[in-house]
C-alpha cells in the first residue's frame, strides 16, 4: 500500500500547471459534447471529421501567418459517449487476442473493428465512459507521453473522488488498481491514441458500470498475465454508480489538468 501511495503522489506531481501564469481568458477553449449511446462506426466517423477539420485549420493558419494575416482560433473538442457492445483492435494488435469467430461475434451481439489507434484489443459497451479528446497539442504541449499521462491523471483523480487509489504501471498504459485482498492488479481504464500533425484522435475507455464478462471474449490489451485483471468502478465500490455524476467529475478534472475552459 505504501508503494501505491508513492505512485499516486508522484503521478499528481507530474501535472503541475504547465503555464502557471496563464489567465482564464487566455486559456484554450474546448467544445464538450456528450453523444450518449452511439454505434462505434458513427462515433469514429464523427471524430475523424473533427480531426480532419482541426488539421485543415492548422494548415490554413500557418498559411495566414506566413502572409502576415491573423490566424483563426483553433477549435478543440472533448467527446464522451457509450457504445453498444463492440471490440476494437489497434494497429499493433493481434487477431489472436480475439477469442470469438465471426459466428460467435454475431451470436453475442458484438461488432468488431480494426482501427488506427495504438494498442491492442479492447471492449466498449454500455456503462463505460468512452472519451475522445480531439486537441491540437501545438496549443498545449507537443509531448505525446505527457498527453497520455494526462489522460491517465484525469481518471486517477476521478476515481480518487470515490475513495480509490489509481496507479500507473510502467510497462502498460492505462489506469490500474493495486493488488489487494487476494485480487490481482486490475485495469479500470484503457487508453489508445493516434496523433497526426499533433492533433489527437481516439482516447480512453473508463469502466464505470461496464459488464465485465464481455472482456472474457478477448485478451484485453493483449495482456495475458495471470496477475492482471479488468475491473470497474461499480465492481470496486460494490454497487452501481451514477454515471452522469462520474462524467461531470471527469470533465472537471480534464479542464484542470490540461488547463482549458469549456466553450459551452
Amino acid at each position: 500500500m505504501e508503494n501505491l501511495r508513492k505512485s499516486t503522489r508522484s503521478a499528481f506531481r507530474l501535472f503541475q500547471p504547465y503555464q502557471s501564469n496563464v489567465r482564464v481568458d487566455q486559456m484554450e477553449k474546448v467544445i464538450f459534447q456528450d453523444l450518449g449511446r452511439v454505434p462505434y462506426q458513427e462515433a469514429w466517423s464523427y471524430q475523424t471529421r473533427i480531426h480532419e477539420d482541426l488539421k485543415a485549420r492548422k494548415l490554413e493558419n500557418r498559411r495566414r501567418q506566413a502572409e502576415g494575416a491573423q490566424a483563426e482560433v483553433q477549435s478543440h473538442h472533448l467527446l464522451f459517449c457509450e457504445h453498444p457492445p463492440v471490440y476494437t483492435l489497434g494497429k499493433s494488435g493481434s487477431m489472436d487476442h480475439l477469442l470469438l469467430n465471426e459466428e460467435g461475434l454475431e451470436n453475442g451481439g458484438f461488432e468488431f473493428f480494426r482501427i488506427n489507434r495504438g494498442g491492442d484489443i479492447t471492449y466498449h459497451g454500455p456503462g463505460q465512459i468512452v472519451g475522445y479528446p480531439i486537441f491540437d497539442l501545438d496549443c498545449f504541449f507537443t509531448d505525446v507521453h505527457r498527453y497520455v499521462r494526462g489522460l491517465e491523471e484525469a481518471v486517477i483523480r476521478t476515481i480518487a473522488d470515490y475513495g480509490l487509489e489509481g496507479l500507473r504501471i510502467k510497462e502498460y498504459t492505462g489506469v490500474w488498481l493495486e493488488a489487494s485482498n487476494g485480487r490481482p492488479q486490475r485495469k479500470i481504464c484503457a487508453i489508445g491514441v493516434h496523433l497526426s500533425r499533433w492533433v489527437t484522435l481516439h482516447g480512453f475507455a473508463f469502466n464505470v458500470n461496464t459488464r465485465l464478462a464481455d472482456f472474457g471474449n478477448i485478451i484485453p490489451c493483449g495482456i495475458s498475465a495471470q496477475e492482471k485483471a479488468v475491473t470497474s468502478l461499480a465492481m470496486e465500490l460494490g454497487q452501481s454508480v451514477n454515471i452522469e455524476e462520474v462524467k461531470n467529475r471527469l470533465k472537471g478534472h480534464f479542464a484542470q489538468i490540461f488547463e482549458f475552459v469549456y466553450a459551452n
Side-chain angles (χ1 to χ4, degrees):
M1 182 61 73
E2 181 59 28
N3 288 337
L4 173 57
R5 293 194 182 100
K6 288 179 180 177
S7 297
T8 305
R9 286 198 297 267
S10 175
F12 275 78
R13 285 198 298 271
L14 287 173
F15 291 94
Q16 296 301 315
Y18 58 88
Q19 291 178 323
S20 56
N21 296 321
V22 67
R23 301 198 313 262
V24 171
D25 62 342
Q26 295 176 328
M27 287 183 176
E28 295 297 318
K29 292 179 173 56
V30 173
I31 298 169
F32 174 78
Q33 289 179 275
D34 187 342
L35 304 179
R37 189 170 299 179
V38 59
Y40 187 83
Q41 180 64 66
E42 183 178 333
W44 188 10
S45 297
Y46 183 56
Q47 65 166 315
T48 299
R49 288 198 301 272
I50 296 173
H51 185 256
E52 292 300 320
D53 287 346
L54 262 70
K55 289 195 298 180
R57 185 175 294 111
K58 170 181 278 191
L59 292 177
E60 174 62 16
N61 280 340
R62 287 178 179 172
R63 184 191 66 78
R64 285 170 172 259
Q65 289 169 342
E67 296 176 354
Q70 185 174 356
E72 295 181 359
V73 175
Q74 186 60 292
S75 176
H76 315 281
H77 294 254
L78 177 60
L79 311 178
F80 282 178
C81 66
E82 294 180 64
H83 295 307
V86 59
Y87 297 110
T88 66
L89 182 68
K91 57 188 178 182
S92 60
S94 170
M95 280 297 296
D96 292 340
H97 297 154
L98 174 63
L99 307 180
L100 295 176
N101 56 23
E102 288 188 17
E103 182 179 2
L105 288 169
E106 184 175 352
N107 291 341
F110 301 106
E111 289 190 293
F112 172 76
F113 293 90
R114 290 178 177 268
I115 58 176
N116 62 341
R117 62 162 170 78
D120 206 283
I121 195 166
T122 196
Y123 166 75
H124 300 307
Q128 183 184 71
I129 300 174
V130 181
Y132 298 125
I134 311 168
F135 297 166
D136 181 354
L137 291 186
D138 267 324
C139 301
F140 295 91
F141 48 78
T142 50
D143 183 336
V144 65
H145 295 289
R146 185 172 187 176
Y147 172 66
V148 172
R149 301 293 85 79
L151 300 183
E152 293 168 343
E153 184 71 8
V155 175
I156 286 173
R157 294 188 187 188
T158 300
I159 66 174
D161 291 340
Y162 293 87
L164 300 177
E165 294 184 279
L167 74 155
R168 301 174 176 87
I169 298 178
K170 183 178 180 181
E171 297 83 1
Y172 308 115
T173 59
V175 177
W176 298 75
L177 301 181
E178 188 57 280
S180 60
N181 301 321
R183 302 168 68 195
Q185 289 181 323
R186 306 174 299 287
K187 193 172 196 176
I188 197 168
C189 178
I191 292 174
V193 301
H194 173 79
L195 278 76
S196 175
R197 298 185 183 274
W198 289 109
V199 179
T200 64
L201 190 68
H202 299 293
F204 64 90
F206 176 18
N207 297 324
V208 179
N209 298 314
T210 316
R211 188 173 64 187
L212 298 179
D214 289 342
F215 285 95
N217 298 320
I218 60 174
I219 300 175
C221 303
I223 302 171
S224 58
Q226 293 297 314
E227 67 275 14
K228 301 289 188 293
V230 178
T231 192
S232 68
L233 194 56
M235 173 66 73
E236 297 300 321
L237 298 180
Q239 61 183 20
S240 180
V241 183
N242 183 330
I243 197 167
E244 296 305 317
E245 178 186 87
V246 180
K247 289 177 184 177
N248 285 333
R249 291 179 181 273
L250 182 60
K251 181 182 171 185
H253 289 308
F254 255 96
Q256 292 170 355
I257 290 164
F258 289 98
E259 291 199 331
F260 63 74
V261 294
Y262 289 102
N264 54 335

